[in-house]
């Protein structure tokens, strides 16, 4: 059997084009291909933990397990040069910032993010605007806007020095098999003919919304596809964004405008599918005219600075977060509506919570892949994720309608939110993640 170090897997070989499909999917085979490979000369490697998916969430877990004494392998199918190049920015919550600080990468991230000076929430053409300031939460910040590239680069740079981590990238898990005592994965890489066989006590599915590992384990999901799609684009505004994050609700769906560190803004605009498609296909000047109208001219004249990307929007919660020798994190476990920018933040919390549970179990001499250990993860994260999934669904449905009684109720709700500091404080605690159970790394 080869020593771990002898497995030469190049780090940044571009083998696949960047996927425009937000929910890419791999097909996983089952027992037979693994048995075939075992009979051939496939190299076999042993780890405590195999993380499948080296996106932001899989890498956050890998980093949280640094210096844990656990032997970890991370397997990512896209070359690093490709996976960092998603031209997207996210709302990063206060709690996610604290988690990254605890993991020692905040100083790499902070210089490249925008710290919100204010969040403004408004309802279509209704004059009242709810303004939220850091003082309303009692923290130095209300949240941040961070690009995918900044987050993933910071994680990848820090992971290079992790002694307990082997990174296989680009490499793809193509088959998986679970037993009482371990999981066996078959992993193909571009530069070897025979797949590598990995044996691990626990497999983590961080392989995104269309998780093949989740499907292979037969874990059902609950949820629905929304009637809306979401357009994202980067714009250059005439007026300064003043580090204000805007969420403006229209009857067709919400528009989020995120202030980016270089003065530009990212727009996340949700609309019914046909309208979203039509808007994507409009000439740029007509698209911008509509955007200027729908943002109430807040940022003056707008210039389009990117392509317009279209994403389907869905709510999904896995019925189980774990199965035999398997745990799901991030989009593999749940997806939500992009309103209020919650999805990735939930995944970061999953990763921090799971790492804390696994390290404690390892230190106590427990089997990290046992049902007893995995149950602790489910009972920590599943109820909290349900709350946020329900919150984003409520926001979208409550505001994406012109039914008069609902319009009256929600405008009254906005008035209360604006006038009653306790309501503002509670809403902000929910949106920033501070209302849930804090992982130790963020305390
Ligand atoms: C328009 C839009 C705006 C959003 N805005 C926000 C926001 O502001 N704030 C926020 O918190 N969230 C936001 N989200 C949600 C956020 O994008 C996701 O929650 C987050 O990216 C999920 O990360 P992940 O690592 O779980 O999954 P992914 O990013 O999908 O990563 C999965 C990784 O697994 C790899 N992989 C898959 N199968 C295999 C395999 N078999 N072998 C090896 N590797 C494999 C893939 O290559 C990929 O790199 C938004 C989403 C959308 C669509």
């Amino acid at each position: 059997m080869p020593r771990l170090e002898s497995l030469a897997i190049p780090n940044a070989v571009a083998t696949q084009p960047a996927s425009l499909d937000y929910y890419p999917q791999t097909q996983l085979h089952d027992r037979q291909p693994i048995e075939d490979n075992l009979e051939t000369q496939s190299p076999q490697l042993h780890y405590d933990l195999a993380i499948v998916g080296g996106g932001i969430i899989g890498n956050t877990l890998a980093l949280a397990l640094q210096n844990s004494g656990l032997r970890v392998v991370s397997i990512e199918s896209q070359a690093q040069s490709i996976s960092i190049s998603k031209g997207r920015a996210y709302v990063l919550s206060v709690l996610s910032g604290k988690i990254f600080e605890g993991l020692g990468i905040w100083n790499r991230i902070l210089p490249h993010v925008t710290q919100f000076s204010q969040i403004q929430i408004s309802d279509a053409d209704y004059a009242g605007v709810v303004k939220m300031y850091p003082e309303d939460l009692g923290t130095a910040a209300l949240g941040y806007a961070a690009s995918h590239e900044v987050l993933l680069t910071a994680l990848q740079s820090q992971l290079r020095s992790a002694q307990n981590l082997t990174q296989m990238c680009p490499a793809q898990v193509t088959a998986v098999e679970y037993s009482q005592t371990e999981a066996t994965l078959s992993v193909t890489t571009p530069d070897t003919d025979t797949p590598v066989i990995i044996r691990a006590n626990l497999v983590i599915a961080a392989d995104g919304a269309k998780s093949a590992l989740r499907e292979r384990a037969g874990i059902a999901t609950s949820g629905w596809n929304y009637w809306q799609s979401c357009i994202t684009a980067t714009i250059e505004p005439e007026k300064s964004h003043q580090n204000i994050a805007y969420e403006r609700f229209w009857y067709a769906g919400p528009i989020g405008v995120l202030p980016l560190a270089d003065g530009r803004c990212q727009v996340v605009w949700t609309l019914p599918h046909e309208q979203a498609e039509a808007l994507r296909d409009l000439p740029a000047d007509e698209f911008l005219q509509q955007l200027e109208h729908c943002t109430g001219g807040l940022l003056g004249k707008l210039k389009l600075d990117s392509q317009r990307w279209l994403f389907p929007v869905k709510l999904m919660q896995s019925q189980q977060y774990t199965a035999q020798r398997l745990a799901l994190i991030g989009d593999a476990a749940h997806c939500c509506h992009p309103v209020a920018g919650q999805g990735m933040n939930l995944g970061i919390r999953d990763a921090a919570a799971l790492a804390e549970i696994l390290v404690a179990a390892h230190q106590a001499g427990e089997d990290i892949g046992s049902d007893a250990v995995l149950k602790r993860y489910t009972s920590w994260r599943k109820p909290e994720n349900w709350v946020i999934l329900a919150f984003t669904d409520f926001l979208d449905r409550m505001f994406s309608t012109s039914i008069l009684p609902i319009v009256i109720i929600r405008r009254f709700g906005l008035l209360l939110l604006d006038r009653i500091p306790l309501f503002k404080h509670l809403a902000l605690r929910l949106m920033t993640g501070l209302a849930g159970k804090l992982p130790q790394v963020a305390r």
Side-chain angles (χ1 to χ4, degrees):
M1 178 174 308
R3 283 160 46 82
L4 296 190
E5 297 77 15
S6 70
L7 190 74
I9 295 165
N11 252 349
V13 185
T15 54
Q16 300 176 3
S19 171
L20 300 185
D21 180 357
Y22 180 58
Y23 303 120
Q25 185 167 34
T26 318
Q27 288 298 321
L28 287 192
H29 306 287
D30 56 11
R31 174 181 289 272
Q32 196 54 46
I34 291 187
E35 286 186 348
D36 291 350
N37 292 330
L38 287 175
E39 281 162 17
T40 63
Q41 293 305 306
S42 287
Q44 290 193 36
L45 304 171
H46 290 251
Y47 293 92
D48 295 307
L49 202 87
I51 303 173
V52 182
I56 289 173
I57 307 309
N59 277 340
T60 301
L61 176 65
L63 188 58
L65 292 170
Q66 197 180 13
N67 306 322
S68 62
L70 290 164
R71 294 162 306 152
V72 180
V73 61
S74 147
I75 305 150
E76 166 55 49
S77 54
Q78 289 187 321
Q80 288 190 349
S81 55
I82 291 173
S83 53
I84 60 166
S85 64
K86 259 189 206 172
R88 186 187 303 166
Y90 307 101
V91 174
L92 190 70
S93 73
V94 174
L95 179 53
S96 296
K98 282 176 183 277
I99 291 172
F100 285 147
E101 191 174 356
L103 295 180
I105 55 165
W106 194 229
N107 57 350
R108 290 180 195 262
I109 294 173
L110 190 59
H112 308 289
V113 303
T114 316
Q115 190 162 316
F116 300 156
S117 60
Q118 206 187 110
I119 297 176
Q120 287 193 10
I121 303 172
S122 53
D123 183 6
D125 41 11
Y126 176 59
V129 176
V130 178
K131 296 182 179 173
M132 296 170 154
Y133 299 92
E135 306 85 85
D136 295 321
L137 185 62
T139 52
L142 274 180
Y144 314 88
S147 75
H148 181 84
E149 184 174 351
V150 162
L151 296 179
L152 202 54
T153 305
L155 285 160
Q156 287 172 351
S157 309
Q158 191 82 0
L159 284 173
R160 274 185 210 117
S161 57
Q163 301 288 320
N164 64 331
L165 175 72
T166 304
Q167 292 194 64
M168 300 178 73
C169 175
Q172 189 159 25
V173 173
T174 49
V176 61
E177 174 73 20
Y178 302 95
S179 75
Q180 287 282 337
T181 51
E182 66 176 6
T184 310
L185 304 169
S186 176
V187 182
T188 56
T189 65
D191 54 353
T192 50
D193 294 335
T194 39
V196 177
I197 298 298
I198 289 184
R199 295 180 180 282
N201 291 350
L202 177 63
V203 175
I204 308 298
D207 54 345
K210 277 193 176 171
S211 169
L213 284 166
R214 183 188 66 227
E215 285 198 3
R216 170 74 187 90
I219 298 178
T221 60
S222 313
W224 46 80
N225 293 320
Y226 283 92
W227 66 99
Q228 297 155 317
S229 293
C230 171
I231 297 185
T232 66
T234 309
I235 52 161
E236 211 180 296
E238 178 191 20
K239 296 185 194 164
S240 163
H241 56 50
Q242 299 175 69
N243 293 356
I244 300 173
Y246 299 95
E247 188 83 59
R248 191 155 186 153
F249 292 96
W250 282 93
Y251 306 122
I255 305 182
V257 180
L258 273 186
L260 302 181
D262 56 9
R264 297 182 306 161
C265 296
Q266 179 175 282
V267 176
V268 181
W269 192 349
T270 314
L271 294 143
H273 301 306
E274 290 100 64
Q275 286 184 41
E277 266 174 43
L279 210 56
R280 178 198 54 189
D281 299 336
L282 274 182
D285 53 340
E286 289 176 39
F287 169 77
L288 290 170
Q289 257 174 23
Q290 294 213 22
L291 187 58
E292 281 166 23
H293 168 73
C294 289
T295 49
L298 286 166
L299 295 164
K301 276 235 117 349
L302 306 175
K303 208 171 123 195
L304 191 60
D305 216 25
S306 75
Q307 271 182 272
R308 285 159 274 175
W309 305 106
L310 198 68
F311 298 96
V313 181
K314 68 176 178 180
L315 183 144
M316 184 279 284
Q317 172 82 306
S318 298
Q319 288 182 6
Q320 295 155 247
Y321 275 18
T322 65
Q324 189 176 52
R325 304 259 155 212
L326 174 71
L328 314 181
I329 60 173
D331 275 19
H334 46 74
C335 296
C336 62
H337 196 286
V339 63
Q342 295 290 323
M344 180 194 64
N345 291 296
L346 296 182
I348 292 171
R349 265 126 75 186
D350 293 345
L354 183 58
E356 188 174 317
I357 289 165
L358 295 179
V359 172
H362 178 60
Q363 285 169 355
E366 289 179 274
D367 173 358
I368 59 161
S370 66
D371 288 351
V373 172
L374 297 182
K375 263 188 196 146
R376 288 172 215 155
Y377 166 63
T378 302
S379 43
W380 182 343
R381 290 304 306 154
K382 204 172 172 196
E384 275 194 36
N385 289 337
W386 261 131
V387 171
I388 297 295
L389 263 54
F391 170 65
T392 55
D393 187 60
F394 170 79
L395 275 183
D396 186 51
R397 288 179 195 279
M398 191 72 185
F399 283 89
S400 302
T401 176
S402 54
I403 299 171
L404 192 60
I406 298 181
V407 174
I408 292 169
I409 291 170
R410 73 176 185 234
R411 288 187 181 171
F412 183 62
L414 282 180
L415 195 73
L416 292 181
L417 188 62
D418 194 39
R419 298 286 157 84
I420 302 178
L422 179 66
F423 285 5
K424 238 184 220 180
H425 183 75
L426 293 176
L428 280 170
R429 281 183 66 79
L430 188 66
M431 280 157 56
T432 52
L434 298 175
K437 178 176 169 187
L438 298 191
Q440 263 168 18
V441 71
R443 280 180 210 151

